[in-house]
Amino acid sequence: MASSQNEQDNRRYAVAAGVPMLEPSDSQEAYNFTLLAIEVSERWGVPILLRMTTRVCHSKTIVETPGYAVPLAPAAGFVRDIPARVMIPAYARPAHHRLRAKLAEIAAWNEREGPNTTTAGSPEFGVITSGISYQHVREALPHAAVLKLGMTYPLPLSAMREFAAAHPRTLIIEEGDPYLVESARTAGIAVESQPEIFRFGELNAARVARIAAGDLTPEPKPMPGKPPALCQGCPHRTVFTALRDLNCIVSGDIGCYSLGVLPPFSAMDTLVCMGASIGVGLGLRHTLPPDEARRVVSVIGDSTFVHSGINGLVEMVYNPPATGHVLVVLDNGTTAMTGQQEHPGTGRTLHHSATGKFVFENVIRAMGIEQVHVMDPMANPQAFQDLVQSCLASGELAVIIARRNCLLAAGAIRQYEKCAESDKNVQ
Ligand SMILES: Cc1ncc(C[n+]2csc(CCOP(=O)(O)OP(=O)(O)O)c2C)c(N)n1
Ligand code: SF4
């Protein structure tokens, strides 16, 4: 939950997809387990989930490369294997049997020689854990015996059973869902779980010490930080000022512009996941009473539009709401929130050299939207607000492309454009 929109536990995906999962607990293991993942993947012909979590990604530990032979990628070449790659039911049914057989083999391998380790400690008190939680356990409970699981799907249930049987008290420490606890108990292994309050947020050494001590006193609230805000001079500001002043119902999306939800704008009413703004906006248009439906506007960033928003536009053309709909595409020439990456609409590759360009207005017109407006929202904020108002009043389908480069990226974009121009002249 460091910066995303939901707190979820991806370990469930490994089970749902039947994909073996490795969980590194530091940088060295991130390195080693990546190589191991490739080995296991090549040996059994399955993809592997290398599960990284926030604190493993945000920490640095010394990495040694102990002469481990890095497996070479096989030479590329096409070998026809239709039953393995074409999942019509006739091939998919046996494929499922093959997958379950492979998972059983991988489970047996994990028991015998998987990346699971035991740290000796108290004969009375054992902890089963994995990933970053292992580091917190070692710091908070240095006296405990620890079974650290490196491959957590399929689980080494026999090793877990043996470890639990050897300790009168066996506690499971895990961040997020009670995945290990549920798996252990389903297999009849007696383990102690952590109280529900520790399911929320990340673990740390202090929280692990509280879990082990059964301390349920309320946790101190973190000091309030300075709330994030759109930069002064950000083009998104003008757009959200207009939407606020027009009292629009705004179906928002993910990017810097999500900050339009905060004061002084407070101009975003829904936000779910990347690309949802158009579908959610259309749903509101279809279901709200007409007076309210006419106030609904979907707002999406340029990168988010090409990522997955474009599908919503197909729906908008195919099932237009009776009151029409207005979509604002915030074309700030970059993927600002995640570090100013290029995207198909910039016409440059990730390394900033020129490539084919996705031209928003051309594509949107070609998709069947007749009212397509392109405007710099900062050139004349009142004109921009008037444009939104007239699109809302028209009762038709309208798309406004609010085009003005992100203030922080503008200098770099000018440089890339100059380079692309001089490259063209050289050619
Ligand atoms: C499914 C998914 N993938 C990736 C992300 C990470 N992410 C957050 S914002 C963002 C890009 C936003 O770019 P854009 O729409 O251009 O808006 P800007 O930040 O430039 O205003 C991405 C990829 C995410 N939140 N959800
Ligand atoms: S980084 Fe760019 S898009 Fe993001 S708030 Fe600042 S000016 Fe706006």
Side-chain angles (χ1 to χ4, degrees):
M1 232 12 212
S3 77
S4 201
Q5 61 269 40
N6 60 330
E7 193 162 48
Q8 71 184 25
D9 195 325
N10 295 343
R11 292 178 297 176
R12 307 283 194 195
Y13 290 134
V15 182
V19 167
M21 168 169 57
L22 291 165
E23 288 196 67
S25 67
D26 61 13
S27 309
Q28 180 73 62
E29 282 187 353
Y31 178 87
N32 292 352
F33 285 10
T34 301
L35 298 179
L36 182 62
I38 295 167
E39 266 182 34
V40 175
S41 172
E42 287 296 304
R43 179 166 168 192
W44 277 284
V46 288
I48 308 290
L49 174 55
L50 184 74
R51 181 178 185 245
M52 306 296 292
T53 52
T54 310
R55 233 25 69 185
V56 174
C57 297
H58 286 216
S59 62
K60 293 179 186 179
T61 60
I62 290 172
V63 172
E64 286 173 11
T65 53
Y68 195 105
V70 178
L72 293 175
F78 183 74
V79 180
R80 177 163 289 140
D81 187 357
I82 292 173
R85 300 207 185 99
V86 183
M87 288 303 109
I88 55 170
Y91 295 141
R93 283 187 212 106
H96 189 197
H97 283 277
R98 283 200 303 278
L99 173 63
R100 290 296 149 198
K102 285 178 188 180
L103 287 171
E105 277 183 33
I106 294 169
W109 169 86
N110 194 24
E111 295 279 6
R112 272 195 326 272
E113 50 191 302
N116 312 302
T117 52
T118 310
T119 309
S122 161
E124 300 297 316
F125 179 37
V127 176
I128 300 178
T129 188
S130 66
I132 192 62
S133 305
Y134 168 74
Q135 307 294 351
H136 303 319
V137 167
R138 294 291 291 138
E139 193 175 335
L141 312 170
H143 59 288
V146 182
L147 171 60
K148 174 165 105 48
L149 306 174
M151 178 175 268
T152 44
Y153 184 76
L155 279 166
L157 289 169
S158 301
M160 292 165 71
R161 182 174 285 110
E162 228 170 80
F163 182 85
H167 298 90
R169 181 184 178 204
T170 302
L171 173 65
I172 287 194
I173 298 285
E174 55 188 326
E175 208 169 67
D177 288 356
Y179 165 72
L180 293 177
V181 165
E182 284 173 6
S183 308
R185 288 185 178 159
T186 305
I189 303 169
V191 289
E192 192 182 314
S193 60
Q194 55 201 51
E196 180 75 359
I197 55 165
F198 297 102
R199 184 174 184 160
F200 304 97
E202 288 177 74
L203 291 182
N204 54 36
R207 295 188 93 198
V208 169
R210 280 165 51 92
I211 293 169
D215 179 357
L216 292 178
T217 54
E219 298 188 279
K221 284 219 166 71
M223 298 286 283
K226 183 171 172 278
L230 290 168
C231 301
Q232 292 301 328
C234 172
H236 298 337
R237 283 183 164 260
T238 320
V239 173
F240 285 103
T241 303
L243 297 174
R244 176 196 64 197
D245 293 350
L246 292 170
N247 193 24
C248 294
I249 297 171
V250 180
S251 171
D253 226 301
I254 315 272
C256 275
Y257 54 96
S258 304
L259 294 170
V261 70
L262 297 179
F265 313 104
S266 306
M268 194 170 284
D269 297 286
T270 70
L271 182 155
V272 190
C273 63
M274 279 191 85
S277 57
I278 304 177
V280 172
L282 290 171
L284 289 166
R285 281 270 181 175
H286 283 299
T287 51
L288 289 175
D291 279 356
E292 286 179 338
R294 283 192 197 94
R295 291 163 47 205
V296 178
V297 174
S298 292
V299 175
I300 193 166
D302 48 354
S303 161
T304 305
F305 182 80
V306 289
H307 170 273
S308 50
I310 190 166
N311 298 356
L313 203 60
V314 177
E315 170 64 13
M316 180 161 145
V317 173
Y318 188 55
N319 281 317
T323 57
H325 191 43
V326 177
L327 167 67
V328 180
V329 180
L330 301 165
D331 182 4
N332 63 356
T334 188
T335 316
M337 192 185 200
T338 49
Q340 301 182 1
Q341 293 84 3
E342 305 284 5
H343 60 69
T346 68
R348 290 180 298 276
T349 67
L350 280 179
H351 297 109
H352 312 299
S353 52
T355 185
K357 182 169 177 153
F358 177 99
V359 181
F360 289 90
E361 50 273 39
N362 293 356
V363 175
I364 293 169
R365 277 196 192 102
M367 286 174 78
I369 305 285
E370 283 168 18
Q371 270 203 67
V372 182
H373 309 272
V374 182
M375 189 183 267
D376 173 351
M378 292 179 87
N380 182 344
Q382 186 57 51
F384 182 79
Q385 181 165 325
D386 292 345
L387 176 63
V388 177
Q389 194 167 22
S390 75
C391 287
L392 285 168
S394 75
E396 293 173 4
L397 299 181
V399 176
I400 301 172
I401 299 165
R403 180 165 291 149
R404 170 98 170 202
N405 285 343
C406 155
L407 186 72
L408 297 195
I413 292 173
R414 272 195 299 275
Q415 288 299 320
Y416 305 143
E417 282 172 349
K418 263 195 212 157
C419 291
E421 204 48 48
S422 59
D423 278 357
K424 243 192 257 164
N425 294 339
V426 169
Q427 284 162 12

